[in-house]
Amino acid sequence: MPTSENEQVHGASTEAVNLLKRNSDDVGWEYGVLVDANNKDKVRCNLCNKEMRGGIYRLKQHLAHEGKNVTKCPARTQQASEAKAKCKKALEDAKRKREEKTVRELELRAEVDVSSVGESEEVTCVGSSQPHKLGPIDKWTRAIDPTASKTESLKQQQLNKELWKERSNEVYKYIARWVYNHAIPFNACDNDDFKQMCEAIGQFGPGFQPPSDDLLREKLLEQEYARTKSLMQERQAEKLKNGCSVMTDAWSDRKRSIMNLCTNCAEGTEFISSKEMSDVSHTSEVIFELVDKAIDDLGPENVVQVVTDNASNNMGAKKLLLEKRPQIFWTSCAAHTINLMLQGIGNMPRFKKVIDQAKAFTIFVYGHTRTLNCLRYFTEGKEVVRAGVTRFASNFLTLNSMLEKKDQLRKMVVHTRWDSLKDVKSKKGKDTTATILSPTFWKEVKLILAVFEPLFKVLRLADGDVKASMGFIYGELLKAKREIKEVFGNNETQFKDVLAVIEKKMKGRLDSPLHLTAYLLNPHYSFTNPSIFDEPKMNEAFIACVEQFYYHDEDKQDQAANIELKKFQNREGAFSKKLARTFENFDYNPASWWRLYGSHTPALQKMATRILSLTSSASGCERNWSGFEGIHTKKRNRLTTARLEKLVYIQFNNRLLSKREKIKIKKTTDVLLSSDTTEVQGFLQEGGDDCALVVFRDEEDEDEMEGTGIPWVVIGEAVGAEEQLERRRSGRVREARELYEGEEFSSEEEEYESDEDEDE
C-alpha cells in the first residue's frame, strides 16, 4: 500500500510539472517552468528557484547573464554553465534574425521608387485650399493643441511611437476593411509584394487613383506577364547547360479541362503553358503531340526526360515519343509510385485493421460538436487529424499525431467529461473508447509508423523541390527496404509481404536504366559501396542509359562506357582527391560534384551532370492546380483560357522565385533526408479562432493553400476538384467524412451517402 501511495504522489507531481512546461522547443524551457499554468508571463528558474516576470525571454537573459534589468543566475554548477552558453547563443541567434528581418524590410522598401516616374520628387499641392502634403519633416513635429496643459506640452515626444500611432491606425482600418470584405487571407499581408505595394502608394502620396478592372485584366496583366517572363529567362542558362525535364498533367472542373506543361531544372519548376482540352479526349496521341511541341519549343537538345504519372494514356505517349525522339527518357512519377506502395501496404489486413480503427476514431470525434470540443479541451486546442501530400501520407501523419497525444487521449476517454456525452454511449462511441484504451492498438500503431516512416521519407524526397532527387531516389528506396527489414527483426516471414509490395510497384518504374545509372553515378552511394560496380543489373542499366543518352554517337558511347567509367570506379585523377570523398555536408549536390571533379572524363561528366540534375517526380507540375482553382472560381468563371493561363503563369512562377530566394537567404537545411515532419507539404497552419476549417485537394502545399481566398487551417485530407468547389456543405462534418472517402459516416447534424473511392 505505501508503495502504491508513493507512486500516486510521484505521478501527480510529474503531471503537475508537465502542466507547467510549455509545448515549445525554446531552449529556455529546459531550465525553467511556469509558476502558474494560466499565467504565461511568470516563470521560475529550475537552477536557483528565482521567480520573475517577462516570460521565457527574461529567463534566458537571467541564465545567460545578459541584459541590464535582470538579475544573473547565481548557480555555479556544470548545468548552469551549459545553460548560460545555450541561452546566450539563443539570444544572439534571435537578435541576428531580427536584424536580418530589419535589413530585409529596408531592402524591400528601397526597391520601390515611384518618385522619378512622371514628376519630381517634391510634389506640391495645387491651390491653398488643398490639405498640406505630409513630408519627411512632419515625422518630427506635433500638431498644436491649445487645450493641452503646460505639463503635457513640455512632455518629451516618443516620435516614431506616438506621433504616427494614431495616423497608422487609421490606415490599418482601411486595409483591414478591404481584407475582411473581400475574404483576403490574413497571411497575404505578411508578403513582400504587399509591403512593396504599400510603400509605392505611400511614396505617391494623396490623390492616388487605383487601377480600373479593365486595366487589371488587359494592360497591367500583359505588363506583369512580360516582367515575370523576363525573370524566368535567367533559368535558360541552366537549361542550356544541364538540360531539363518536361512534366505534364491535366486539370478539370465542371466547365473545362486543361492540360498544363511545366519544366524542371536545377533551379526548380517553371510553369510554361497550358492548353484547353475540353473538346478532345486525353488520348496517347494528344498527349504525345502536346509534349512533342513543348520539346520543339525548348529545343530537343535541352530536354533530358519527360515525367508523368503511370496512367495508360501516358505510357502510350511514351512509346510514341521514343519512336520519334529515342534520346529522350520518359519516366514515371516517383511520388505517385511511392504513394501506390503506401496504399498497397496500408491495405494489407494487419495494417488496414489498425488504420480503420484510427479512421473510426477520428470520424466519430470530428463528426460531433461535443466530442470535438472535448478532444480540443484535452489536447489544448491541437488537432489530431493531419493532412499530407497524399491520402496515405495523411494516414501516417494522423497516426503519428495520435501517438504523440496518446496520454491525452487515454486520459480523455476515462474522464467524466467524456462519459457524460450522450454520443459516447452509442456503439460507435463505445468502440472509440475501447480503441483508445487498447494496448494492442497502440502497439500496432507504433509498428505501422515504423514501417511507413522510411517510405514516407522517400516520398518527401521525391516530392521536394529544393534539390534534384534523381540521384537519390533509388538509393533511398534500398535504404528504406533495409530499415523495414530491421523493424521486423530481419524475420523474412514478417517482412516479405511488405517488401513484395514495394518491389512490385518499383518494377519498371523506379528501377529503370535512368534511375539505376543515377544511383551508380552518385558518389554518395558508389564510393561508399564499390560493389555497386560489380552488379550485372547495374552494368546493364548503365550501358542502356549510355546508348540512349548518346544516341547515334558511338564515339561518346565508347568513351563514357569503356574508358571513363573505369576512371570513376578506380578513383583516378581528381576523383582520388580527399575533398572528393566528402559527402556529409547538407549542401552536397552530386551534379555540382561532377562539374568540379569530372573534367578529365568529359563524356561521363556531361551525362552525369545532366542526369543528376533531374527531378524524379511530376509533383511540381501538379502544384499549380490550386492556382487554377483559386483563380477560376464560381464567382470568377468567365476567364478566357489565355487570361487564365497568364494569371497562373504569374502566380505560380513568382511564388517559385520568391520561395527559391528565401531558401538562398535563410540557407535552410536539406529537406531531402530530413526527418522533421513539419516540412511536409500538408500541415497545420497556425490561425486559431480567426481561421476557417478547410479541406484541400491532394498534393497541395502550404504556398498553394495561401491562394484559396479565405483564412484557413487544415484539419483533413484532400478531395477532388468538384468537392473543392462545394465547400459550403456542412463544414466540420464534411471535413471528417471527406478525409476518409467511402467510410460509413453519420452525425447528429446531417448524413451523407458514401462516395466511392477513386483508385489511381
Side-chain angles (χ1 to χ4, degrees):
M1 183 65 70
T3 304
S4 177
E5 290 177 356
N6 290 336
E7 289 178 353
Q8 290 178 4
V9 171
H10 177 71
S13 62
T14 303
E15 184 177 351
V17 171
N18 290 336
L19 287 174
L20 295 175
K21 288 200 171 188
R22 299 295 305 277
N23 185 16
S24 169
D25 58 358
D26 194 301
V27 68
W29 294 112
E30 296 179 18
Y31 308 103
V33 294
L34 294 172
V35 176
D36 181 0
N38 297 320
N39 185 355
K40 311 300 183 186
D41 188 57
K42 196 171 182 180
V43 295
R44 179 192 299 116
C45 175
N46 289 340
L47 303 181
C48 66
N49 289 325
K50 179 176 177 58
E51 296 181 4
M52 64 200 80
R53 293 188 178 276
I56 196 64
Y57 181 76
R58 183 60 57 87
L59 175 64
K60 287 188 288 187
Q61 286 185 320
H62 166 75
L63 292 167
H65 296 189
E66 298 274 340
K68 299 178 180 179
N69 300 323
V70 62
T71 58
K72 300 176 182 178
C73 182
R76 292 293 181 269
T77 62
Q78 182 179 355
Q79 187 181 15
S81 300
E82 293 176 357
K84 181 179 179 180
K86 286 184 178 180
C87 292
K88 188 171 184 178
K89 183 179 183 300
L91 291 171
E92 290 173 352
D93 290 344
K95 182 180 178 182
R96 176 179 52 79
K97 287 180 181 179
R98 289 195 299 270
E99 290 173 349
E100 289 176 354
K101 184 177 180 181
T102 302
V103 171
R104 175 64 178 161
E105 294 280 348
L106 292 174
E107 289 176 350
L108 279 174
R109 292 179 178 274
E111 291 176 11
V112 178
D113 184 11
V114 299
S115 58
S116 60
V117 181
E119 51 183 301
S120 63
E121 291 189 11
E122 185 176 353
V123 182
T124 57
C125 296
V126 180
S128 58
S129 61
Q130 295 293 327
H132 174 64
K133 181 183 183 298
L134 292 175
I137 198 64
D138 288 297
K139 293 183 180 180
W140 318 104
T141 62
R142 156 170 30 196
I144 297 174
D145 184 4
T147 64
S149 65
K150 185 176 181 180
T151 305
E152 291 174 342
S153 63
L154 293 176
K155 187 177 180 180
Q156 184 178 4
Q157 303 178 62
Q158 295 181 4
L159 300 176
N160 289 335
K161 183 177 179 181
E162 298 297 334
L163 287 180
W164 290 87
K165 185 176 181 180
E166 185 176 349
R167 193 172 289 162
S168 297
N169 191 54
E170 289 300 313
V171 178
Y172 293 160
K173 288 180 182 178
Y174 287 100
I175 295 174
R177 190 177 305 158
W178 177 69
V179 168
Y180 302 149
N181 289 342
H182 299 282
I184 307 299
F186 297 158
N187 55 8
C189 296
D190 187 19
N191 182 278
D192 292 350
D193 297 326
F194 179 76
K195 293 171 184 175
Q196 289 185 324
M197 179 190 75
C198 292
E199 180 66 18
I201 295 173
Q203 288 186 20
F204 184 93
F208 173 72
Q209 294 295 323
S212 65
D213 56 349
D214 287 330
L215 270 177
L216 286 170
R217 70 163 58 98
E218 296 293 345
K219 182 180 178 181
L220 293 176
L221 178 62
E222 293 295 333
Q223 290 176 352
E224 184 62 17
Y225 178 74
R227 186 192 76 88
T228 305
K229 206 164 188 177
S230 66
L231 292 175
M232 302 308 292
Q233 287 298 319
E234 299 174 3
R235 304 196 166 202
Q236 298 308 312
E238 175 63 28
K239 293 179 183 177
L240 292 173
K241 183 171 67 173
N242 292 320
C244 66
S245 303
V246 173
M247 303 181 293
T248 181
D249 197 15
W251 175 81
S252 300
D253 66 0
R254 294 175 177 177
K255 293 190 175 182
R256 68 180 76 187
S257 176
I258 295 174
M259 183 77 74
N260 78 340
L261 285 163
C262 295
T263 62
N264 179 279
C265 63
E267 291 296 316
T269 303
E270 174 187 355
F271 174 78
I272 53 175
S273 66
S274 62
K275 183 178 180 181
E276 176 81 43
M277 304 284 283
S278 304
D279 57 340
V280 295
S281 299
H282 296 183
T283 62
S284 299
E285 291 75 17
V286 170
I287 295 173
F288 161 71
E289 291 174 4
L290 185 68
V291 171
D292 188 59
K293 184 179 183 303
I295 293 173
D296 276 332
D297 295 339
L298 292 166
E301 68 282 359
N302 299 325
V303 179
V304 181
Q305 72 165 347
V306 178
V307 189
T308 63
D309 61 31
N310 304 318
S312 58
N313 53 353
N314 289 328
M315 295 301 101
K318 171 184 178 179
K319 295 179 182 178
L320 296 173
L321 184 73
L322 289 177
E323 291 176 4
K324 181 176 181 180
R325 304 184 189 275
Q327 77 281 10
I328 294 179
F329 299 89
W330 189 303
T331 59
S332 300
C333 174
H336 180 219
T337 304
I338 297 167
N339 181 48
L340 294 177
M341 294 178 188
L342 292 170
Q343 178 186 9
I345 296 171
N347 287 335
M348 293 172 64
R350 180 178 182 181
F351 300 134
K352 189 175 188 303
K353 178 183 177 182
V354 180
I355 293 173
D356 287 344
Q357 287 177 312
K359 288 179 181 180
F361 166 75
T362 54
I363 290 173
F364 175 77
V365 172
Y366 280 86
H368 304 82
T369 55
R370 291 174 290 273
T371 54
L372 181 58
N373 183 60
C374 185
L375 172 74
R376 288 173 175 166
Y377 173 81
F378 282 94
T379 61
E380 298 179 349
K382 296 180 178 63
E383 300 293 343
V384 170
V385 175
R386 300 287 301 278
V389 293
T390 68
R391 176 182 309 167
F392 306 100
S394 291
N395 287 344
F396 173 85
L397 291 174
T398 300
L399 287 172
N400 190 53
S401 177
M402 289 180 66
L403 187 62
E404 289 174 354
K405 301 173 180 65
K406 173 184 173 182
D407 293 338
Q408 295 165 308
L409 295 177
R410 288 170 67 89
K411 182 179 178 180
M412 176 186 75
V413 298
V414 297
H415 199 276
T416 55
R417 181 175 181 140
W418 175 264
D419 290 334
S420 64
L421 302 177
K422 72 172 186 178
D423 307 298
V424 174
K425 295 177 176 59
S426 65
K427 183 180 182 303
K428 291 183 179 179
K430 291 177 181 178
D431 291 343
T432 295
T433 302
T435 296
I436 298 302
L437 293 177
S438 171
T440 304
F441 170 76
W442 293 110
K443 181 180 178 181
E444 291 297 313
V445 166
K446 288 182 181 179
L447 176 64
I448 291 176
L449 292 176
V451 172
F452 271 41
E453 185 175 12
L455 289 175
F456 188 67
K457 290 180 182 178
V458 185
L459 176 62
R460 294 178 51 221
L461 184 155
D463 198 60
D465 201 25
V466 177
K467 286 185 178 180
S469 58
M470 181 59 76
F472 294 93
I473 195 72
Y474 186 79
E476 291 307 304
L477 276 171
L478 293 182
K479 179 182 176 183
K481 290 199 288 186
R482 290 195 299 269
E483 291 178 356
I484 290 172
K485 288 180 181 179
E486 292 172 2
V487 168
F488 291 101
N490 291 313
N491 186 339
E492 185 177 358
T493 58
Q494 294 288 326
F495 66 69
K496 66 178 183 179
D497 291 339
V498 175
L499 294 193
V501 172
I502 296 174
E503 289 164 1
K504 179 181 178 182
K505 301 302 180 184
M506 279 184 66
K507 189 173 182 180
R509 293 167 176 163
L510 301 185
D511 60 354
S512 69
L514 184 64
H515 290 95
L516 294 178
T517 301
Y519 172 65
L520 178 73
L521 294 179
N522 187 346
H524 176 76
Y525 300 110
S526 53
F527 277 17
T528 306
N529 180 19
S531 63
I532 292 174
F533 293 98
D534 300 327
E535 296 180 20
K537 180 181 179 181
M538 291 293 170
N539 293 327
E540 292 173 7
F542 176 75
I543 293 171
C545 189
V546 169
E547 290 175 342
Q548 186 169 356
F549 187 87
Y550 286 118
Y551 193 75
H552 285 328
D553 193 337
E554 294 182 0
D555 291 338
K556 289 286 180 68
Q557 292 176 12
D558 177 67
Q559 187 177 347
N562 298 329
I563 301 173
E564 296 179 353
L565 179 65
K566 204 69 176 175
K567 293 181 180 179
F568 174 61
Q569 179 180 354
N570 297 333
R571 306 185 192 183
E572 299 176 7
F575 296 140
S576 64
K577 293 184 179 295
K578 183 178 180 181
L579 288 175
R581 297 192 296 273
T582 305
F583 313 115
E584 300 304 321
N585 192 303
F586 66 80
D587 283 330
Y588 163 70
N589 184 317
S592 299
W593 186 93
W594 271 95
R595 280 193 288 270
L596 185 60
Y597 299 109
S599 56
H600 64 295
T601 54
L604 195 60
Q605 181 190 45
K606 179 181 179 181
M607 179 177 167
T609 52
R610 290 204 158 205
I611 289 176
L612 295 172
S613 297
L614 297 174
T615 181
S616 62
S617 169
S619 297
C621 188
E622 298 169 359
R623 290 192 182 108
N624 56 28
W625 293 140
S626 65
F628 278 95
E629 288 181 350
I631 292 169
H632 183 76
T633 63
K634 284 184 177 180
K635 292 184 178 180
R636 195 184 186 192
N637 55 17
R638 296 185 181 181
L639 289 168
T640 63
T641 303
R643 190 171 291 149
L644 180 63
E645 177 185 332
K646 289 178 181 177
L647 287 168
V648 173
Y649 184 94
I650 292 168
Q651 184 186 94
F652 181 79
N653 289 330
N654 274 296
R655 283 183 176 179
L656 179 70
L657 291 169
S658 176
K659 183 178 179 180
R660 300 295 294 188
E661 184 64 25
K662 288 178 181 177
I663 291 172
K664 291 178 182 177
I665 292 173
K666 295 183 179 180
K667 297 180 180 179
T668 53
T669 56
D670 189 2
V671 176
L672 292 182
L673 305 179
S674 171
S675 61
D676 182 5
T677 56
T678 59
E679 294 289 345
V680 182
Q681 293 168 343
F683 58 88
L684 289 174
Q685 177 77 358
E686 61 184 41
D689 296 335
D690 295 330
C691 292
L693 299 178
V694 181
V695 181
F696 292 91
R697 292 184 63 224
D698 277 354
E699 318 218 2
E700 291 189 347
D701 57 12
E702 177 191 9
D703 294 336
E704 297 165 344
M705 292 173 186
E706 293 174 2
T708 57
I710 58 176
W712 53 268
V713 56
V714 176
I715 72 153
E717 189 193 312
V719 290
E722 183 172 334
E723 288 84 356
Q724 173 71 3
L725 296 174
E726 296 179 351
R727 291 181 183 156
R728 296 184 182 273
R729 291 192 311 170
S730 178
R732 180 184 50 74
V733 178
R734 181 173 53 80
E735 290 152 12
R737 183 203 160 285
E738 290 180 343
L739 175 61
Y740 305 112
E741 293 179 314
E743 295 299 318
E744 182 183 356
F745 180 84
S746 63
S747 167
E748 80 266 25
E749 296 179 357
E750 190 169 357
E751 292 187 358
Y752 298 102
E753 294 181 1
S754 297
D755 295 335
E756 292 183 359
D757 269 344
E758 292 181 4
D759 191 347
E760 294 174 306

